[in-house]
Amino acid sequence: MAADGTPLLELEGISKRFGPVQALDRVDFAVSAGEVVGLVGDNGAGKSTLVKAIAGINPPDDGAVRFEGREVRISRPQDATELGIATVYQDLALCDNLDVVSNLFLGREQVSAGPGQVSRQLDEVKMEHETADLLSNLAVTIPSLRSEVGTLSGGQRQQVAVARSLLGDPKVVMLDEPTAALGVPQTKQVLELIRRLRERNLGVVVISHNLADVFAIADRVFVLRLGRAAGEFRAEEATEEQVVAAITGVGDGRDKGERAGEEERA
Amino acid sequence: MSATGAATADEGTEGRSTTGQALRRLVQGDLSSVRVVLGLIVIAIIFQVQEERFLSAQNLTNLMLQITTIGLISVGIVYVLLLGEIDLSVGAVSGLSAAVMAVLSVNHGWNAYLAIAAAVAVGAGIGFLQGSLFSRFVVPSFVVTLAGLLAWEGALLQVLGKTGSLNINDPKITGLANTFYSDTVGWIFAAAIIAAYGAVLVLGYRKRVSAGLADGGPLPLVVRFVFLSALVIAAVAILNSDRGVPLAVMILLGFVVGMEYVAKRTTFGRHVFAVGGNAEAARRAGIRVNAVRVAVFTISGSMAAIGGVMAASRLFAVNQNSGGNELLLLAIAGPVIAGTSLFGGRGSVWTALLGALVIGSISNGMDLLSLSSAVKLMVTGGVLLLAVLVDAVARQQRQTSGRV
Ligand SMILES: Nc1ncnc2c1ncn2[C@@H]1O[C@H](COP(=O)(O)OP(=O)(O)O)[C@@H](O)[C@H]1O
Ligand SMILES: [Mg+2]
């Protein structure tokens, strides 16, 4: 999708180990502007770990990260945010005791311009206004922007989390299982929202268990298996069977060989 | 907007039926301050029936002076509770800080304000140290501050030396708890408070209207304004008919209002609530969680020191019991009784004042009735237990209704 050929975000040889578990093993990964990459794999394949490595939550042990062609270090969540990488986590990472507006602006609260530091206070009106604008742009309806997020339904919470990721005008948005907790109409809406992100020329990474969802929106499908890259497909050229084969590691000779190797290792 | 119609149809009842919602919130604890005010009224009636001096202007003035120290310490405790943590050292810190002030003022002839500043610096430094140990080494805060409780109590004895007590004679220090304003000044305070509150309400409402966010009209604001104005006028009238508005009350009110402002209207305060609600979410939002924690414990230590200074001023002395006895537990119990959750993320600085009033009234009333300390301790313990149970039940109800 990228016109100039340079990916927006590029990872090379990313590894991450949790004690005995090699969660990521020398993974190369890239996403370009205006491209939706579906990140798929079995439970425990390392999808969330890869996203958290890019987001600065769990910095990788090893490997290089390039953003817009420059080598960067992402060791804290702020590093990712400053680069323009936003993440919607599987567990949503919302504060249930705060209202919708506060959650949306958490960590980047707007303050009213005052003559001194002391006279500055949270500009609740501005934040609420912008929240209302953003949510209506995204066609998201929440009963009251001042209701605590803990009182919302799963679908509404997901929508709040997605909306929140867009506030900082990111260049890359990563969504971890954005549709897992949603019913059919809300899933359609989130997929529609993801297409809109692509139209805005953002790079989008979507983790999903649901291959139908992935094929509906992704330009490219990237498969992880047991922490390793296990295949990469152009969505329009691949079939679900091929992707499933890569996920499970059955089907072709190369995968069988790899599996044998892993059994030895285990 | 219509696309989510199906999703919201079954959820749309939330936020609509305001009366039902208000009732439910009253039960579930969001309106716990109303509950506490009702409790205060009940307490007042009980004691007034048995001892008519209870609601006399003189006794109410005494009550306000009695709660100053607990209220000030509780202001810091509220912040710690909002994090979902606890600070067991505040009593000892208040005693030690006051002792430092007394030694500097009495033995070394320091200027009163410098001595007070040194006391606050001691409290802030201790809070900073404890907060840093807690967040850096991920030790439970109650352990760090329990160690602090013992250590700072030892330090208090050390600082006081052999005599074990110091009388304070600098009028600038003793004046803090023993100054009363004239009737005129009292009414000027009342007018200023009412005018400031009205201005805040009007400006806030105008801003919301001009941003197109007006919700429900100005009636709730008018009700709040009338209620607060009546309260302020009644309070000043009562205080004036005795010795006048005490400086101590203005100090306590100033800290409550100022720290409530910090909690509810500043970025820092928002981050305190966020860390107390979901520390991991706060961290991922880029909030420096450990810095927030250290700052909160620094506030707690500072407020303890300020409370200690006021206690010393009222007593004209610091001794080995300063900051001891049940001060610590009452300072923690107050905000919890008044609705600040022990589980973090919910509460307000007003609960420091309301809670101190509840605890102070009970203890003052029992003193008037000349009940033994055995009875006093058991009753206060019972009230604290009741408050904690109400907090826990409110939390359980939030969880079963999907709110964590
Ligand atoms: N914080 C962690 N501590 C220990 N092990 C972890 C941690 N996070 C992930 N893992 C392990 O790493 C592997 C990959 O996990 P994850 O990335 O969550 O998989 P996926 O999202 O693809 O289901 C799993 O074996 C998981 O148990
Ligand atoms: Mg996962």
Side-chain angles (χ1 to χ4, degrees), chain A residues 91 97 109 122 124 141 150 153, chain B residues 4 11 265 270 284 345 402:
Chain A
D91 57 9
N97 60 324
E109 290 81 5
L122 291 171
E124 296 286 358
T141 320
S153 71
Chain B
T4 44
E11 289 146 2
R265 300 289 173 98
R270 180 60 47 81
R284 293 191 201 166

Side-chain angles (χ1 to χ4, degrees), chain A residues 52 57-58 77-78 89 91 93-98 102 106-109 111-112 118-125 127-129 132 135-136 139-144 146 148 150-153 156 159 164 185-186 189, chain B residues 1-8 11-12 14-16 30 204 207-208 211-213 215 261 264-267 270-271 273-288 344-346 398 401-404:
Chain A
K52 285 179 181 167
I57 300 290
N58 289 324
Q78 295 96 301
Y89 298 98
D91 57 9
L94 299 171
C95 288
D96 284 339
N97 60 324
L98 297 180
S102 309
L106 195 62
R108 48 173 162 242
E109 290 81 5
V111 290
S112 57
V118 184
S119 63
R120 287 184 169 201
Q121 54 171 314
L122 291 171
D123 195 338
E124 296 286 358
V125 170
M127 288 193 277
E128 186 166 336
H129 206 74
L135 292 186
S136 81
V140 173
T141 320
I142 305 270
S144 161
R146 289 299 175 185
E148 285 180 15
T151 65
L152 302 181
S153 71
Q156 290 169 334
Q159 290 171 314
R164 175 170 127 187
Q186 287 174 328
Q189 255 186 309
Chain B
M1 296 295 254
S2 59
T4 44
T8 47
E11 289 146 2
E14 296 222 37
R16 298 278 158 79
D30 289 8
K207 197 170 178 200
R208 292 184 68 78
L213 296 171
D215 33 17
Y261 176 88
K264 295 284 167 65
R265 300 289 173 98
T266 69
T267 307
R270 180 60 47 81
H271 291 178
F273 276 86
V275 172
N278 185 343
E280 178 61 17
R283 185 170 84 93
R284 293 191 201 166
I287 294 170
R288 287 155 57 223
R346 283 172 209 283
R398 280 197 301 272
S401 66
R403 305 166 54 197
V404 186

Side-chain angles (χ1 to χ4, degrees), chain A:
Chain A
M1 290 285 122
D4 59 1
T6 312
L8 196 49
L9 173 71
E10 204 177 358
L11 312 186
E12 205 178 297
I14 295 291
S15 297
K16 178 76 188 180
R17 176 177 276 282
F18 293 110
V21 181
Q22 188 74 43
L24 291 174
D25 189 5
R26 286 161 290 160
V27 173
D28 300 337
F29 180 81
V31 59
S32 300
E35 180 187 40
V36 177
V37 180
L39 181 55
V40 300
D42 215 344
N43 269 336
K47 308 180 294 292
S48 298
T49 305
L50 183 62
V51 163
K52 285 179 181 167
I54 299 171
I57 300 290
N58 289 324
D61 305 329
D62 205 10
V65 180
R66 278 186 293 279
F67 194 79
E68 297 182 314
R70 282 180 303 121
E71 183 110 4
V72 293
R73 275 184 58 86
I74 304 179
S75 45
R76 302 170 309 161
Q78 295 96 301
D79 297 340
T81 309
E82 277 160 24
L83 289 171
I85 301 172
T87 313
V88 181
Y89 298 98
Q90 195 166 0
D91 57 9
L92 299 186
L94 299 171
C95 288
D96 284 339
N97 60 324
L98 297 180
D99 62 28
V100 175
V101 177
S102 309
N103 266 285
L104 235 65
F105 281 89
L106 195 62
R108 48 173 162 242
E109 290 81 5
Q110 307 268 328
V111 290
S112 57
Q117 196 70 32
V118 184
S119 63
R120 287 184 169 201
Q121 54 171 314
L122 291 171
D123 195 338
E124 296 286 358
V125 170
K126 187 171 173 213
M127 288 193 277
E128 186 166 336
H129 206 74
E130 287 182 17
T131 302
D133 283 353
L134 179 63
L135 292 186
S136 81
N137 277 343
L138 301 177
V140 173
T141 320
I142 305 270
S144 161
L145 298 184
R146 289 299 175 185
S147 37
E148 285 180 15
V149 161
T151 65
L152 302 181
S153 71
Q156 290 169 334
R157 292 160 55 83
Q158 179 70 52
Q159 290 171 314
V160 170
V162 172
R164 175 170 127 187
S165 75
L166 297 179
L167 263 191
D169 259 332
K171 293 174 178 161
V172 173
V173 177
M174 304 187 289
L175 305 111
D176 194 351
E177 300 279 5
T179 57
L182 304 188
V184 175
Q186 287 174 328
T187 296
K188 266 179 73 177
Q189 255 186 309
V190 171
L191 297 183
E192 192 50 49
L193 173 58
I194 292 171
R195 288 197 194 94
R196 247 172 277 153
L197 301 184
R198 173 171 54 198
E199 281 158 21
R200 292 196 202 180
N201 212 34
L202 300 179
V204 184
V205 179
V206 182
I207 296 182
S208 181
H209 265 106
N210 187 326
L211 284 186
D213 287 356
V214 170
F215 273 93
I217 48 163
D219 303 301
R220 198 150 54 81
V221 182
F222 187 94
V223 183
L224 273 178
R225 190 160 59 81
L226 299 170
R228 293 187 183 182
E232 211 174 327
F233 306 87
R234 299 208 57 75
E236 65 230 25
E237 293 162 6
T239 64
E240 279 198 31
E241 287 72 37
Q242 287 174 297
V243 173
V244 169
I247 290 173
T248 53
V250 293
D252 65 26
R254 187 183 68 98
D255 274 346
K256 271 182 198 139
E258 229 178 53
R259 235 162 59 112
E262 267 140 22
E263 270 151 22
E264 267 165 44
R265 209 178 47 170

